[in-house]
Amino acid sequence: METTQVLEIFSDFVWPWCYLVTGRVERLKEQYGLSLRWTHFPLHPETPDSGLTLEELFRGRGYDIEAMKQRMSGLMAEENLPYGNRSHTYNSRLAQELSKWGESFPEGEALNRKLFEAYFVEGLNLAEAEVLLDVTEATGLSRKAAEEVIRERRFRNAVDADWRRAHELGVTGVPTFFSGTSGLVGAQNYEALEQLIQLEWTEEVSEFHFLVK
């Protein structure tokens, strides 16, 4: 029996490079009939629920924040992705738990997309339950069910498992992609991602390896 090839993406909703590749991933899914597995990663788990300004986040690293914003805006435009002028980063843990719940429904992919857009387009705080509930409702999923999921932290263990998987596989940054026994790190272009998924069909690889790391 033929099985669907799985492309696993390690990601965080508050990292622009993860949002940048969403369109490329969707194209791959349609072109090759892939099954996508979104695995959550703790990029900045120490971020307070109230958030941090980008200046606070990158303090001491010598980054030109405005230049970074302009560059990212141009890259998003090339991918036809809407993109706002974000000023803060927020704790994404609750959004990750909500996403794990959403995987049980056909609307799960749409929920992920709207979570990215809530932050990167509207600049909303993904640590706020009301924001997450509004996104859920806009996706067509039950607001009441989502409220219970968030309040009771029903998918806490599922996200913990994702974080452990990242550690066990040596994932240290996102996005990171896995297909079969091969991995690719970073916001790679479409052709590089295509090569990754084709590798499983054309080569027998005896152990897991990263193409780029």
Side-chain angles (χ1 to χ4, degrees):
M1 181 177 178
E2 185 176 351
T3 58
T4 302
Q5 185 175 357
V6 176
L7 177 66
E8 183 174 15
I9 309 108
F10 282 79
S11 179
D12 193 317
F13 289 116
V14 293
W15 195 233
W17 299 103
C18 295
Y19 177 43
L20 182 69
V21 300
T22 55
R24 299 170 192 171
V25 167
E26 283 299 318
R27 286 171 57 197
L28 283 170
K29 179 183 178 181
E30 294 176 5
Q31 179 70 25
Y32 291 95
L34 302 175
S35 176
L36 303 181
R37 174 181 176 181
W38 294 90
T39 304
H40 300 290
F41 181 84
L43 186 64
H44 297 297
E46 73 286 352
T47 304
D49 288 348
S50 58
L52 295 170
T53 66
L54 296 185
E55 287 74 15
E56 290 172 325
L57 177 65
F58 295 114
R59 181 172 293 157
R61 304 186 193 183
Y63 292 144
D64 184 331
I65 302 297
E66 289 306 314
M68 289 170 59
K69 287 182 178 181
Q70 291 179 13
R71 180 193 179 204
M72 190 58 64
S73 181
L75 292 172
M76 295 295 180
E78 291 176 4
E79 298 292 324
N80 295 314
L81 291 171
Y83 190 67
N85 183 23
R86 68 186 181 119
S87 59
H88 288 67
T89 189
Y90 297 107
N91 193 300
S92 60
R93 173 69 194 216
L94 280 182
Q96 293 184 3
E97 293 182 16
L98 183 68
S99 173
K100 295 303 289 187
W101 167 71
E103 290 178 2
S104 305
F105 306 95
E107 297 88 348
E109 288 292 330
L111 177 62
N112 283 351
R113 184 168 59 253
K114 286 188 177 296
L115 286 168
F116 274 117
E117 292 175 355
Y119 174 57
F120 285 108
V121 181
E122 302 179 58
L124 299 177
N125 184 348
L126 295 182
E128 294 183 357
E130 285 301 311
V131 169
L132 299 180
L133 294 176
D134 287 345
V135 171
T136 300
E137 196 168 30
T139 308
L141 291 169
S142 169
R143 185 184 186 99
K144 181 178 179 180
E147 186 174 10
E148 293 176 358
V149 165
I150 293 169
R151 183 178 64 250
E152 299 176 11
R153 304 294 299 275
R154 292 184 180 178
F155 285 79
R156 180 198 297 267
N157 291 341
V159 173
D160 285 345
D162 276 7
W163 290 13
R164 284 195 302 271
R165 178 170 170 79
H167 176 73
E168 291 165 0
L169 291 178
V171 176
T172 58
V174 287
T176 289
F177 307 88
F178 290 165
S179 178
T181 55
S182 299
L184 192 60
V185 179
Q188 304 292 331
N189 60 33
Y190 182 84
E191 290 73 22
L193 293 173
E194 189 174 40
Q195 179 186 5
L196 172 66
I197 63 172
Q198 290 176 344
L199 184 64
E200 186 175 351
W201 300 343
T202 59
E203 294 185 7
E204 291 186 2
V205 184
S206 59
E207 61 181 15
F208 178 83
H209 71 285
F210 283 98
L211 297 180
V212 177
K213 189 173 182 181

